[in-house]
Amino acid sequence: MEARQQGLLETQPLQEVDEDVVAALSNSVSDEEREEMQVELDKLEEEISTLRQVLTAKEKHHAELKQKLGVNPLSEFRQNFNKSWHEMQTSTAYKKTQETFSTAGQKASAAFSNVGTAIGRKFGDMRNSSSFKSFEEKVESTVSTLKSKVGVPSNSGGSFEEVLSSAAHASAQDTPASATRLIESSEQQC
């Protein structure tokens, strides 16, 4: 294999031969330098240990203060949520989105209003059409026919609902007594 080098970095992974070179380099450090490094390493480990102890003590004190103030995880969450919500509402993106939705709502409202007006106009046009007039005349003639069959004078001017109710009343009076008894017996069985 061809070993290419780019600056100080090799493209090939370390091989066993390279490990021997690394061991030889570490042996080139003098005992005095090695001792200094070991002392520095020991100091760093001691400082890390001290910092961990200080951090643990501060965290404990922090928890005690929160407990005395009555701050619990739920209230912290609520406070963080409220803060985040406020920050979001004051952001430029939120304001632009709110304006866009407001404009869209106004346009949609205007469109629905226009549709309602157009539908109302179409119903008005339909009512004035010849086919609707023909239908209306047929309904009026049917009402007149019903009035005459029921026995209401055609010039009485009753409404369609009145005619229907009087027709129902008249047909109820014509019901034979046997049918009435049959209905009453079926109601008692239920």
Side-chain angles (χ1 to χ4, degrees):
M1 286 189 189
E2 179 181 310
R4 292 185 177 170
Q5 290 187 351
Q6 285 183 325
L8 299 174
L9 300 177
E10 289 186 6
T11 58
Q12 299 292 324
L14 289 176
Q15 298 173 358
E16 289 181 24
V17 176
D18 294 332
E19 290 174 3
D20 294 335
V21 173
V22 171
L25 285 176
S26 65
N27 289 336
S28 66
V29 177
S30 70
D31 288 339
E32 190 176 298
E33 289 174 333
R34 184 180 290 269
E35 248 180 68
E36 286 177 14
M37 285 194 261
Q38 187 63 44
V39 169
E40 187 178 350
L41 183 63
D42 291 342
K43 283 182 182 179
L44 284 173
E45 287 175 354
E46 187 178 323
E47 286 178 14
I48 290 171
S49 175
T50 304
L51 289 173
R52 282 189 181 137
Q53 291 172 356
V54 169
L55 180 61
T56 303
K58 292 211 180 252
E59 285 176 339
K60 184 178 178 184
H61 184 64
H62 177 257
E64 289 171 357
L65 288 175
K66 283 172 93 175
Q67 185 180 14
K68 288 179 183 177
L69 290 172
V71 177
N72 58 27
L74 181 61
S75 65
E76 275 188 278
F77 174 75
R78 191 178 311 130
Q79 185 179 10
N80 290 340
F81 179 79
N82 288 336
K83 182 182 175 188
S84 299
W85 180 252
H86 177 71
E87 288 172 357
M88 185 194 69
Q89 286 182 323
T90 56
S91 72
T92 307
Y94 179 83
K95 288 179 181 178
K96 285 182 180 179
T97 304
Q98 187 179 24
E99 290 172 7
T100 303
F101 280 138
S102 176
T103 304
Q106 291 170 354
K107 288 181 180 180
S109 176
F112 286 133
S113 175
N114 290 340
V115 167
T117 303
I119 289 173
R121 205 175 304 129
K122 285 290 182 185
F123 278 136
D125 293 346
M126 186 178 74
R127 190 160 192 219
N128 293 331
S129 71
S130 60
S131 46
F132 188 81
K133 297 258 185 214
S134 170
F135 175 73
E136 192 174 28
E137 289 171 1
K138 288 179 183 176
V139 168
E140 286 176 359
S141 71
T142 304
V143 168
S144 297
T145 305
L146 282 173
K147 283 183 178 181
S148 66
K149 287 186 177 182
V150 173
V152 177
S154 24
N155 59 0
S156 69
S159 69
F160 185 67
E161 289 83 19
E162 290 174 355
V163 172
L164 285 178
S165 94
S166 63
H169 181 61
S171 68
Q173 290 177 349
D174 292 343
T175 305
S178 62
T180 306
R181 278 186 247 121
L182 180 64
I183 292 170
E184 289 174 353
S185 68
S186 67
E187 288 176 353
Q188 289 175 352
Q189 290 175 358
C190 291

